Every structure is written in C-alpha cells, then in structure tokens.
C-alpha cells in the first residue's frame, strides 16, 4: 500500500505520467480494491483511494475509476443508513474498532470524509450507497460528530484532547508528561527509577497540551489510568489527521 501511496503523492506533486502509469498498472496487484475500512499507520489504502479519486472526479481520469469506486465503497461503510454499513459505533456515536488507540480511526476517517466532501462539492456530485445517496453535507456532519465527541460531547463529558476544557485525562501514558521536570527534580532519573511515577495514581505533573489519547472503549467508558496505554497513550497518528480536520472546521465554522 505504501508503494501506491507514494506514487499517488508523487503523481499529485509532479503530474508525471510515469507515476500515473504505475498507479494504473499496479492497483489490483497491490490491493487498492481490497475492502479495508481503516486508514492509519499500518494501512494506507483508504487514503490512497480518496487521494486518487480527485483525478477521476475533478479531472475525468476514468482509467482510475476503480480507485474512486473503492473510495466510495469505503465511505458507504461508515454511514449507518447505508445498506453496506459495517463500522461499529459506541452508544455515544464514536467510530470504534477493536485493538486500542481507537481515536486514530475516528480522526483519520473524519479527515477522509472532509476531503471527499470537498471533491463532491466542487462537482455537485453525491455518493450512491445502494439505495441511499450520501451528500457532501452528510459526510461533513458525520466528521463533525466525531470531532464533537472527541472534544467533550460524549457520555463521559470528557475532552480526549489534553488541556482542552476543564475535564480531560490527567494520567496519560507519556514519559515526559508523567515524570517530574528538571526544575523539580534536577537529578538524573534512570530508566527503572521512573517506575514510581509510572505506577503512581497522581495526575501527571506536566500537561501535554493538545495531545489526544487513545480514547474510550466500545461502551464509551474511559478509566484515567496511564498504565492502560491502549486508552491513555497519545500518538502522532491520532493527532496528525485531527489537525487537518480542525483546520477545516476552523475555516468553515457553520457546518451543523
């Protein structure tokens, strides 16, 4: 998937037909039409399909139609009203996939929805999900629901972004946040000597403002426990797509 992902970006950057030819020739071989309903550090297919779809939707590059079909098939699985919907949601409305660090899925899926919604808006198109037509507005509303949930509109009333609002995780799984600062503890802390801070039930002494943790379980429950790293660890692959999502809503605050 990374080979196609890299070729797609190089095609976008250079408009070189060599990369276009590579994408056309290797899509099936390298799994672009596999039914993959995630986009993250371990699989780029959904992002690849959305990226390449721009050439089909806005550039009439119909030789890449299979990528567009795969992108729309992926998006249809996210919409509860769609006959092909099979993404799990928590009772509170958060996209949920087992395995830990779940907010990586909520943030990356929201990002792809907003990107594809822009394609649809530019060409006045919609997605046909069986007997359900999904508009750009539907995709944006779905993405916004994930954002609202992450920032505190959820059954816990908890913001999963550290430092945002008055109620957020205090015991995140992050060494720099949980160890005392050099000012408070100028002596060297060896690796195993940090265990007392790791195992402590006290809040982290350093607030890692802006970090998004792994998030709640399938029942919307979250225990503020740094040892439970699947829920409490912030990662770049959670935060990175969320930057794009927040940038969109900051520029378009009236999406309801």
């Amino acid at each position: 998937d990374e080979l196609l992902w890299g070729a797609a970006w190089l095609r976008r950057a250079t408009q070189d037909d060599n990369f276009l030819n590579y994408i056309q020739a290797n899509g099936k071989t390298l799994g672009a039409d596999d039914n993959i309903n995630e986009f993250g550090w371990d699989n780029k297919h959904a992002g690849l399909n959305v990226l390449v779809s721009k050439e089909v939707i806005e550039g009439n590059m119909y030789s890449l139609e299979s990528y567009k079909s795969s992108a729309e098939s992926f998006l249809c699985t996210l919409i509860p009203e769609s006959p092909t919907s099979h993404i799990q949601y928590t009772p509170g409305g958060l996209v949920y996939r087992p395995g830990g660090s779940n907010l990586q899925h909520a943030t990356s899926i929201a990002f792809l929805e907003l990107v594809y919604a822009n394609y649809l808006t530019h060409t006045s198109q919609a997605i046909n999900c069986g007997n359900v037509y999904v508009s750009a507005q539907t995709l944006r509303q779905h993405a916004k629901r994930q954002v609202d949930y992450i920032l505190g509109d959820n059954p816990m009333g908890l913001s999963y972004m550290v430092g945002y609002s008055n109620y957020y995780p205090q015991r995140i799984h992050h060494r720099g946040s949980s160890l005392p600062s050099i000012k408070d503890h100028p002596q060297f802390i060896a690796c195993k000597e940090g265990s007392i801070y790791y195992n402590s039930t006290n809040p982290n002494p350093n607030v890692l403002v802006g970090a998004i943790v792994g998030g709640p379980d399938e029942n919307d429950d979250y225990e503020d426990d740094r040892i439970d790293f699947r829920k409490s660890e912030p990662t770049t692959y959670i935060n990175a797509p969320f930057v794009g999502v927040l940038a969109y809503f900051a520029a378009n605050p009236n999406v309801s």
Side-chain angles (χ1 to χ4, degrees):
D1 55 311
E2 271 86 0
L3 293 173
L4 288 169
W5 181 237
W9 275 113
L10 289 167
R11 163 66 179 172
R12 172 72 68 87
T14 66
Q15 292 299 300
D16 188 326
D17 284 344
N18 287 318
F19 298 116
L20 173 63
N21 294 337
Y22 184 90
I23 297 165
Q24 291 171 329
N26 292 285
K28 192 169 188 65
T29 305
L30 298 179
D33 56 355
D34 290 354
N35 187 19
I36 303 296
N37 57 354
E38 67 174 284
F39 175 50
W41 63 270
D42 196 36
N43 196 298
K44 301 297 188 295
H45 281 135
L48 159 74
N49 290 328
V50 167
L51 177 62
V52 174
S53 293
K54 183 179 176 69
E55 290 217 51
V56 183
I57 297 172
E58 297 183 0
N60 298 320
M61 188 69 70
Y62 296 116
S63 62
L64 301 173
E65 181 69 35
S66 63
Y67 287 89
K68 176 177 177 288
S69 296
S70 294
E72 295 190 350
S73 175
F74 164 73
L75 292 166
C76 286
T77 68
L78 309 176
I79 306 301
E81 298 78 18
S82 166
T84 58
S85 173
H86 60 77
I87 290 285
Q88 182 180 345
Y89 289 86
T90 69
L94 180 70
V95 166
Y96 184 81
R97 284 178 59 85
S101 298
N102 179 62
L103 290 185
Q104 66 177 300
H105 304 296
T107 57
S108 64
I109 282 171
F111 178 79
L112 292 184
E113 287 180 312
L114 293 177
V115 171
Y116 211 85
N118 279 350
Y119 298 167
L120 297 178
T121 296
H122 293 159
T123 56
S124 300
Q125 295 185 35
I127 299 173
N128 182 3
C129 298
N131 59 347
V132 174
Y133 282 88
V134 175
S135 67
Q137 182 67 1
T138 299
L139 293 177
R140 291 185 179 113
Q141 289 171 341
H142 186 272
K144 187 173 186 296
R145 176 70 194 109
Q146 302 307 299
V147 172
D148 291 342
Y149 186 108
I150 291 168
L151 296 182
D153 184 8
N154 57 64
M156 295 279 296
L158 177 71
S159 165
Y160 291 101
M161 177 182 282
V162 175
Y164 182 83
S165 87
N166 295 319
Y167 184 39
Y168 54 83
Q170 304 289 317
R171 299 164 186 84
I172 69 172
H173 186 276
H174 186 277
R175 189 182 299 269
S177 177
S178 59
L179 292 176
S181 68
I182 292 177
K183 178 181 178 182
D184 294 331
H185 192 292
Q187 297 81 19
F188 177 75
I189 300 175
C191 184
K192 296 298 183 182
E193 293 173 3
S195 297
I196 59 170
Y197 305 104
Y198 177 68
N199 294 316
S200 169
T201 58
N202 294 328
N204 288 7
N206 311 306
V207 179
L208 189 62
V209 176
I212 303 173
V213 297
D217 64 19
E218 66 270 25
N219 297 311
D220 298 303
D221 294 325
Y222 180 85
E223 300 80 31
D224 193 5
D225 181 0
R226 71 176 64 84
I227 294 176
D228 188 358
F229 66 91
R230 289 180 176 84
K231 294 181 182 177
S232 63
E233 183 178 68
T235 71
T236 54
Y237 54 82
I238 297 175
N239 264 81
F242 206 57
V243 171
V245 173
L246 293 182
Y248 175 83
F249 286 118
N252 301 274
N254 296 322
V255 176
S256 59

